[in-house]
Amino acid sequence: MELMVLLNALVTRLLFVLHSLIGVWRVTAVKKEPKYWLLALLNLLLCLETGLTLKFKQGRGYKWFSPAIFLYLICIVPSLWLLEIHHGTQYCGNEPGAVQVNVSNQDFNQSRESSHGSEGTDHHIIQTAKVFVNQLSTICETVWTLALHQTFLLLLVVGRWLLPIGVEITRDQLSQLLLMFVGTAADILEFASETLDIEDVRKNYALINAILAVWTWSMLQFPLDLAVQHIGCKPSASARRIPSLLLCRYSAELWNIGVSLFIQDGPFFIVRSILMGHFRIFNQMLVFFTAKNILVVTLQLYRLAVISLDFRSTVLQKSRKGEVCCCPCEPYEAHAHATGRQENEMKEFVAFPPKEESQAPSEDH
């Protein structure tokens, strides 16, 4: 097992565990009930996954799915749910925040001076840590919740980057996936912050639960890598099935369209339409992002129509020429394989030339 692969696998999962523990700590501090520390037991699943991955996969990832990302979602999402439901019970102002920052600097200076005069460096570090933790506890609850949302989405992208990739996914595919995740994370953060900050939404617990459910549903696309990978298929098994051929050839693009329609932009558009149509909630940003969702959904449907027409024309063209319609998932590899096979046949032909049939002696001779 390579040292860097092992280090990346362990460091990334350690970051996941630390971030989820911070979320559990915030829930316990907000609810003021120690029983919520039981949420930290969810990290045992991530520890178990780490051991199994190191043993059976040598620290590398799996094809199409990332168990570490999925288990990290299981560890952190319940804490964010509880914080969002408990949201709004503490007033946040700009001036108190500035006062807290100044007081924290004074406390740091006082602790540094006292540690210099009396006790050693260890006491100074302990006092500084206590002051830092106390000041973190006094930060406004809404600021904490938003910071956890932001660091959560950033850690998803960075963690997916740091996690060792498997042999089935290339560096080029990983870079495409990370760029998609950056845009997806920005849209999800905007959806959660923009809709949950509306006062009329905060007064309706059913709406809060519905928005959080859609937000959780949109997070399920992060453990999956199907948006940049083609699904392998056997030409003999799928030669007579048009849907199988379509899925085989355009699997990555179809998955991308499906994610946009059914996991992200489609559900976001439905929620925002309900807010404006049924609850009569209107603001400039809500209208803008609703129009943006409509545009994205329309473009994805247009893309799906273009793919279908292109595939239909390809099938008709091959059928007119009398060719067998096989699965063109990897056209370059198939062409290379066919070319290699032709070269091998040519070498065999040159090495073993066909024997000429001996002519029967004529009667004249």
Side-chain angles (χ1 to χ4, degrees):
M1 185 187 305
E2 299 178 2
L3 180 60
M4 287 302 299
V5 173
L6 176 63
L7 186 62
N8 289 337
L10 292 178
V11 168
T12 306
R13 289 167 173 84
L14 181 61
L15 290 175
F16 290 164
V17 172
L18 290 177
H19 190 261
S20 63
L21 289 178
I22 292 174
V24 175
W25 169 64
R26 282 309 304 164
V27 172
T28 307
V30 168
K31 296 288 187 179
K32 295 180 173 57
E33 295 183 11
K35 67 179 182 180
Y36 286 101
W37 278 110
L38 294 175
L39 291 172
L41 296 177
L42 294 173
N43 292 287
L44 295 177
L45 297 174
L46 193 56
C47 297
L48 179 62
E49 184 271 339
T50 303
L52 294 177
T53 302
L54 293 177
K55 181 178 180 180
F56 295 105
K57 297 288 291 184
Q58 288 76 43
R60 297 193 176 273
Y62 296 81
K63 185 178 182 181
W64 300 337
F65 183 72
S66 176
I69 298 292
F70 180 73
L71 293 177
Y72 173 53
L73 294 178
I74 293 177
C75 293
I76 190 63
V77 166
S79 300
L80 293 176
W81 265 72
L82 293 172
L83 290 174
E84 288 292 353
I85 292 174
H86 194 267
H87 186 279
T89 59
Q90 180 181 357
Y91 175 73
C92 242
N94 293 328
E95 296 182 359
V99 172
Q100 289 172 3
V101 172
N102 295 331
V103 170
S104 64
N105 292 332
Q106 293 177 3
D107 290 339
F108 279 126
N109 294 330
Q110 290 176 1
S111 64
R112 187 177 301 171
E113 292 175 0
S114 63
S115 63
H116 253 322
S118 58
E119 300 167 0
T121 309
D122 295 337
H123 181 73
H124 164 63
I125 295 175
I126 294 174
Q127 290 296 327
T128 304
K130 287 182 178 180
V131 172
F132 183 70
V133 172
N134 290 333
Q135 292 303 316
L136 285 179
S137 302
T138 58
I139 294 177
C140 183
E141 176 191 336
T142 55
V143 175
W144 260 110
T145 305
L146 180 60
L148 284 175
H149 270 286
Q150 293 170 342
T151 53
F152 167 49
L153 292 170
L154 288 175
L155 195 55
L156 279 175
V157 179
V158 176
R160 189 64 187 87
W161 191 5
L162 293 178
L163 282 174
I165 61 176
V167 295
E168 296 87 1
I169 183 172
T170 63
R171 294 288 180 183
D172 178 60
Q173 292 174 339
L174 179 62
S175 62
Q176 296 178 23
L177 188 67
L178 293 173
L179 289 173
M180 292 174 57
F181 279 177
V182 170
T184 300
D187 288 341
I188 292 175
L189 178 63
E190 179 277 325
F191 170 76
S193 60
E194 178 259 330
T195 53
L196 291 174
D197 285 344
I198 302 174
E199 290 187 10
D200 294 335
V201 173
R202 283 293 171 189
K203 298 176 183 178
N204 193 329
Y205 286 99
L207 259 182
I208 294 176
N209 292 328
I211 291 173
L212 289 176
V214 173
W215 170 78
T216 306
W217 172 250
S218 65
M219 302 302 298
L220 296 179
Q221 58 185 301
F222 285 97
L224 299 171
D225 301 338
L226 290 173
V228 294
Q229 296 191 50
H230 287 285
I231 299 176
C233 60
K234 298 179 180 179
S236 60
S238 59
R240 299 180 180 179
R241 298 178 182 178
I242 298 300
S244 299
L245 289 172
L246 181 63
L247 179 63
C248 177
R249 183 175 184 179
Y250 299 101
S251 59
E253 295 189 14
L254 290 176
W255 171 252
N256 194 9
I257 294 172
V259 166
S260 179
L261 294 179
F262 300 107
I263 298 183
Q264 186 172 336
D265 290 286
F268 289 178
F269 166 68
I270 293 174
V271 171
R272 287 170 172 141
S273 300
I274 292 174
L275 290 178
M276 291 191 301
H278 182 72
F279 293 95
R280 303 297 179 184
I281 299 174
F282 293 94
N283 59 54
Q284 185 177 3
M285 298 304 294
L286 185 62
V287 173
F288 171 76
F289 284 107
T290 304
K292 177 246 184 189
N293 292 139
I294 295 174
L295 182 61
V296 171
V297 169
T298 305
L299 291 176
Q300 294 290 1
L301 292 175
Y302 174 72
R303 177 60 183 161
L304 183 61
V306 170
I307 289 174
S308 301
L309 292 176
D310 178 69
F311 179 76
R312 182 173 178 270
S313 63
T314 303
V315 172
L316 291 177
Q317 184 178 4
K318 286 182 177 293
S319 63
R320 288 172 182 173
K321 292 182 179 180
E323 299 178 1
V324 178
C325 184
C326 60
C327 176
C329 296
E330 302 290 343
Y332 178 78
E333 294 181 0
H335 176 71
H337 179 70
T339 306
R341 186 175 59 184
Q342 291 177 0
E343 290 179 355
N344 292 335
E345 291 178 355
M346 183 62 67
K347 290 179 181 178
E348 292 179 358
F349 180 79
V350 173
F352 301 98
K355 297 181 180 179
E356 298 181 357
E357 295 182 356
S358 59
Q359 295 182 354
S362 59
E363 293 181 354
D364 298 336
H365 292 290

